[in-house]
Amino acid sequence: MSDIDVLLQETRSFPPPSDFRVTARVHDARLQDDASMDPVNFWAREASELTWSKPWDTVLEWTPPHAKWFQGGQLNASVNCVDRHIHGPRRNKAAIIWEGEPGDRRTFTYWDMYREVNLAANMLKKLGVVKGDRVAIYLPMIPEAIFAMLACARIGAVHTVVFGGFSPESLRDRINDCGCKVLITADGGYRRGQIVPLKRNADEALKDCPTIEHVLVVMRRRSGVGDETFAEMQEGRDHWWHRLKRQVPKHCEPEVMDAEDLLFILYTSGTTGKPKGIVHTTGGYMTGVASTTKYVFDLKEEDVYWCTADIGWITGHSYLVYGPLANGATQVVYEGAPDWPEKDRFWQICERYGVSIFYTAPTAIRAFMKWGTPYVEKHDLSQLRLLGSVGEPINPEAWMWYHKHIGQERCPIVDTWWQTETGAIMITPLPGVTATKPGSATTPFPGIKTALLDTAGNEIGVGGGLLAITHPWPSMLRTIWGDDARYVDTYFTKWPNRLDLYFPGDGAKRDDDGYLWILGRVDDVLNVAGHRIGTMEVESALVDHPAVAEAAVVGKAHEIKGQAIAAFVSLRAGFTPSGSLRDELREHVAMKIGALARPDDILFSADLPKTRSGKIMRRLLRDIAEGRALGDTTTLADPSVVAALKDQYEAQE
Ligand code: ATP
Ligand code: MG
């Protein structure tokens, strides 16, 4: 079976509002026409917007499946994010407007950033870190996390950021996988009013991390210098950030980096299995994120930009650190949860700082829907002009809700498809040009070449198939850390003898207008009576029902049909589970997309199992539906959710 049958139809379309279009950075099809231009020329033009200390000799060297971009060129990522803004009018422009969960606030201008990054770089040097060493960063969403990343970049150390919500075991595995020399952590961070004891977790992890020589500890908790309740300092190994800072010089000469020198390693979210250490390099990555930030978010000098992602994920790296700072943006950074102390915290922040560009994930949007609009309506969101979504397919009804209640029908929505591996946004609307359709990531960014293929590698015009990227791009991963064979095998062996075709693992459909609709991971695609249906389609039909906030759909083995459809559904505020609602939902799906897609089982659940980055983990739901032992659960946000679902499912059977 090669194609994915496409059943769900969505015909709504939203052209860019005319007042948005006239002032947009890209407001006619010119840049999009560049998409037909040679990617090498396009990316060379974009790369030339960065600050290089030595220009490159060759733009691209492509020995499939290994690419090298901008060979011979030299640059430093921290110089591009900070130093190049301090000589002109941006010197005292706010770079980061930070708000902690308890309500504390700090603002850093580009000049402040310059000073902090230089000091942090010298602290790392003092601890013996040299170019090429790996440094683990396990911090809450505080300004020091950004300084730490840029400090590594400044001295040529490779950072690996581990999400602050991860356990000691996860931290340990990542540190050991790439052999980090130094760990940067904090005494604690705040999450839903609780203190996350990062240093204690780190100590636990470090019992078994032989490569770590030093630990740099930021004091996040404001209970006074020297308070060791949450951070027991180990003499010789552990150092307080604020103390070491006073002992180092104020200026740190940036290391000259080759374009292909490593910038960072980041482990994937682990939605489909054991996380992979994705390797990104300096020149290509910076080119990809700087260019996409500018065009996809239509970023202007006066914007207040807010990406709600944690720096522990690729979205935080590309669209909270490197992309916006390379563009000299002013951005909001928030430490904590969206529902603390109340469910309107995000809208309060948007109002307080006059946020104009807001970038979040479908999981958050579905939570806002579940909580209801009164939390939104309390706040003045009139400064918002552009909204973005990333992380999972966005169901059309969630898109419509976002458009109506957050965007107030005024703001274009950019649904951006990309991955840890791609480094930067790949498929996305350009907000001043593209007419958007709810649920479609629309078309590839200029310089990105994609195809829809069947398993034999034949092109699919209209309909469903496997997404492929057919030309290398600057911000692509270079390898998996320590396992190049796995790199080749995971991404470049889907089509026999075609080492030049990158397979992201996702299925998609193309409609009559040439728009792409991501249908989710190919491993998740359902096979019902010989029809291959995207889980996304059935989920979207469920979310279309007014009672449903969120749905996850999986296939389970069925003697006759091949697979039967099991749906896990969480309801919006004000609705309660019942047998009649179950029947109604099954009929709703049948009505929206056909009897074929009618779910066999529906289980109501307050929560769905998600990764810590907020993505639904269908493989665990499949384990439940098929009565298997649960697979790897280490990247789950809340393991109790899946255990409870398993019990509930078995009781119903
Ligand atoms: P792992 O690779 O470890 O299983 P992961 O794939 O969830 O984890 P990420 O790199 O964080 O790790 O996520 C990339 C994936 O997220 C994409 O392959 C795609 O499935 C999904 N995704 C991201 N953005 C979108 C989007 N706008 N529309 C649809 N799907 C998206
Ligand atoms: Mg992935």
Side-chain angles (χ1 to χ4, degrees):
M1 190 77 43
S2 51
D3 298 1
I4 301 172
D5 293 316
V6 176
L7 303 174
L8 195 63
Q9 298 302 324
E10 169 60 59
T11 53
R12 288 168 288 199
S13 173
F14 298 85
S18 57
D19 50 341
F20 187 97
R21 188 167 47 84
V22 291
T23 61
R25 273 182 176 272
V26 188
H27 51 77
D28 55 31
R30 215 169 26 212
L31 188 79
Q32 279 222 316
D33 280 347
D34 286 349
S36 57
M37 173 173 134
D38 178 30
V40 170
N41 292 338
F42 175 80
W43 289 117
R45 191 186 81 191
E46 292 306 300
S48 67
E49 304 267 314
L50 296 175
T51 300
W52 296 79
S53 49
K54 179 173 172 285
W56 58 84
D57 305 317
T58 43
V59 179
L60 170 64
E61 188 189 301
W62 180 219
T63 346
H66 292 99
K68 290 181 175 165
W69 284 86
F70 311 116
Q71 287 255 83
Q74 293 181 323
L75 77 171
N76 183 287
S78 84
V79 168
N80 275 279
C81 291
V82 181
D83 301 38
R84 68 164 171 165
H85 306 307
I86 60 172
H87 302 295
R90 285 180 187 149
R91 177 193 289 249
N92 279 313
K93 178 181 177 177
I96 295 171
I97 302 173
W98 176 83
E99 188 169 305
E101 197 189 72
D104 40 344
R105 300 188 208 171
R106 297 157 77 192
T107 298
F108 294 86
T109 64
Y110 276 96
W111 179 250
D112 294 329
M113 295 279 294
Y114 174 77
R115 297 178 63 213
E116 297 288 345
V117 170
N118 274 269
L119 288 164
N122 280 331
M123 290 193 255
L124 291 173
K125 274 187 160 175
K126 194 170 164 110
L127 296 179
V129 178
V130 296
K131 181 175 172 180
D133 283 344
R134 274 81 59 208
V135 172
I137 298 178
Y138 182 61
L139 284 172
M141 285 287 287
I142 53 177
E144 285 80 1
I146 299 172
F147 307 153
M149 290 167 75
L150 294 175
C152 288
R154 194 165 192 85
I155 63 170
V158 176
H159 58 68
T160 186
V161 181
V162 179
F163 173 54
F166 273 137
S167 63
E169 295 73 37
S170 304
L171 175 62
R172 181 197 59 204
D173 292 348
R174 287 163 179 75
I175 288 175
N176 290 339
D177 189 71
C178 61
C180 298
K181 191 177 197 176
V182 164
L183 167 67
I184 308 178
T185 188
D187 50 354
Y190 292 91
R191 188 76 194 176
R192 282 209 180 81
Q194 302 288 310
I195 291 168
V196 184
L198 291 164
K199 177 64 164 66
R200 280 188 203 157
N201 290 348
D203 286 340
E204 187 62 36
L206 293 185
K207 285 181 183 158
D208 195 10
C209 294
T211 56
I212 292 285
E213 294 173 10
H214 293 285
V215 183
L216 192 52
V217 187
V218 179
M219 187 172 286
R220 165 71 187 104
R221 298 180 56 252
R222 295 171 305 151
S223 34
V225 176
D227 177 358
E228 299 207 339
T229 0
F230 277 84
E232 215 170 287
M233 301 297 276
Q234 191 176 307
E235 185 72 36
R237 185 193 72 175
D238 301 351
H239 314 267
W240 285 112
W241 172 289
H242 60 277
R243 290 201 187 140
L244 199 59
K245 196 168 151 177
R246 288 189 225 114
Q247 300 167 23
V248 297
K250 293 197 165 78
H251 288 277
C252 172
E253 200 52 39
E255 191 74 35
V256 173
M257 302 296 282
D258 289 333
E260 283 295 332
D261 278 339
L262 263 61
L263 181 59
F264 65 84
I265 299 166
L266 180 65
Y267 291 82
T268 54
S269 313
T271 311
T272 58
K274 186 176 175 284
K276 306 171 272 286
I278 303 299
V279 171
H280 282 289
T281 57
T282 311
Y285 174 81
M286 288 303 294
T287 301
V289 299
S291 169
T292 47
T293 304
K294 181 167 64 185
Y295 295 124
V296 174
F297 299 108
D298 187 44
L299 191 67
K300 310 258 180 55
E301 202 59 52
E302 60 278 13
D303 273 311
V304 179
Y305 167 97
W306 183 21
C307 166
T308 67
D310 192 281
I311 50 146
W313 314 121
I314 190 67
T315 307
H317 282 59
S318 301
Y319 298 106
L320 193 143
V321 181
Y322 293 106
L325 295 176
N327 281 285
T330 292
Q331 63 173 331
V332 171
V333 177
Y334 169 58
E335 176 185 33
D339 54 352
W340 189 266
E342 294 295 334
K343 294 184 170 66
D344 66 342
R345 185 66 182 268
F346 274 16
W347 319 124
Q348 190 186 62
I349 291 173
C350 282
E351 175 174 349
R352 178 172 298 144
Y353 304 109
V355 171
S356 60
I357 301 171
F358 179 72
Y359 189 33
T360 196
T363 183
I365 298 166
R366 292 186 301 251
F368 306 144
M369 288 172 73
K370 189 148 92 177
W371 298 338
T373 52
Y375 293 106
V376 182
E377 284 153 6
K378 279 208 296 217
H379 296 282
D380 172 13
L381 302 182
S382 62
Q383 296 305 304
L384 283 174
R385 64 179 197 93
L386 179 70
L387 304 175
S389 170
V390 61
E392 285 181 293
I394 177 166
N395 317 102
E397 284 320 300
W399 194 103
M400 288 304 298
W401 189 93
Y402 198 29
H403 170 71
K404 185 162 178 218
H405 297 287
I406 309 303
Q408 301 173 341
E409 302 183 349
R410 168 186 78 237
C411 306
I413 297 178
V414 288
D415 174 5
T416 60
W417 177 86
W418 59 294
Q419 311 178 292
T420 309
E421 294 88 338
T422 69
I425 293 169
M426 302 293 277
I427 302 176
T428 176
L430 289 178
V433 178
T434 316
T436 52
K437 300 184 189 187
S440 171
T442 76
T443 51
F445 187 76
I448 300 300
K449 301 286 178 196
T450 62
L452 265 193
L453 303 176
D454 65 17
T455 41
N458 303 307
E459 287 241 18
I460 290 165
V462 171
L466 309 171
L467 187 61
I469 304 171
T470 58
H471 190 281
W473 65 103
S475 62
M476 69 191 284
L477 77 165
R478 296 303 191 263
T479 188
I480 292 176
W481 178 261
D483 200 349
D484 195 59
R486 190 175 175 203
Y487 163 78
V488 178
D489 190 56
T490 309
Y491 306 109
F492 295 95
T493 53
K494 186 72 186 176
W495 297 280
N497 305 318
R498 291 298 305 271
L499 285 175
D500 57 325
L501 292 179
Y502 173 87
F503 177 52
D506 288 353
K509 74 166 176 181
R510 188 171 12 233
D511 69 15
D512 296 328
D513 298 327
Y515 278 48
L516 291 166
W517 302 69
I518 308 297
L519 295 171
R521 291 177 172 77
V522 171
D523 301 343
D524 288 339
V525 166
L526 306 163
N527 191 341
V528 184
H531 295 272
R532 287 171 52 86
I533 308 170
T535 43
M536 161 69 184
E537 298 188 277
V538 184
E539 288 163 7
S540 291
L542 285 163
V543 173
D544 178 76
H545 189 281
V548 177
E550 190 154 46
V553 162
V554 297
K556 66 175 212 178
H558 185 278
E559 275 177 31
I560 301 152
K561 294 195 274 191
Q563 276 186 326
I565 299 178
F568 297 78
V569 166
S570 80
L571 299 176
R572 288 213 213 185
F575 292 90
T576 42
S578 69
S580 62
L581 182 58
R582 180 178 290 124
D583 294 339
E584 200 180 310
L585 294 180
R586 296 180 70 236
E587 286 325 302
H588 188 76
V589 174
M591 187 264 293
K592 290 291 288 187
I593 57 182
L596 185 69
R598 184 189 281 120
D600 297 76
D601 305 338
I602 291 183
L603 191 78
F604 294 107
S605 165
D607 290 301
L608 298 172
K610 290 183 184 166
T611 58
R612 286 171 190 263
S613 56
K615 301 176 196 224
I616 299 170
M617 263 223 235
R618 290 179 194 76
R619 66 181 165 85
L620 294 178
L621 293 174
R622 222 158 32 224
D623 292 343
I624 293 177
E626 297 191 327
R628 268 191 306 273
L630 297 175
D632 184 82
T633 55
T634 52
T635 56
L636 269 181
D638 180 358
S640 71
V641 169
V642 72
L645 267 179
K646 194 168 162 61
D647 292 345
Q648 206 186 330
Y649 197 88
E650 280 160 7
Q652 180 194 272
E653 286 277 278

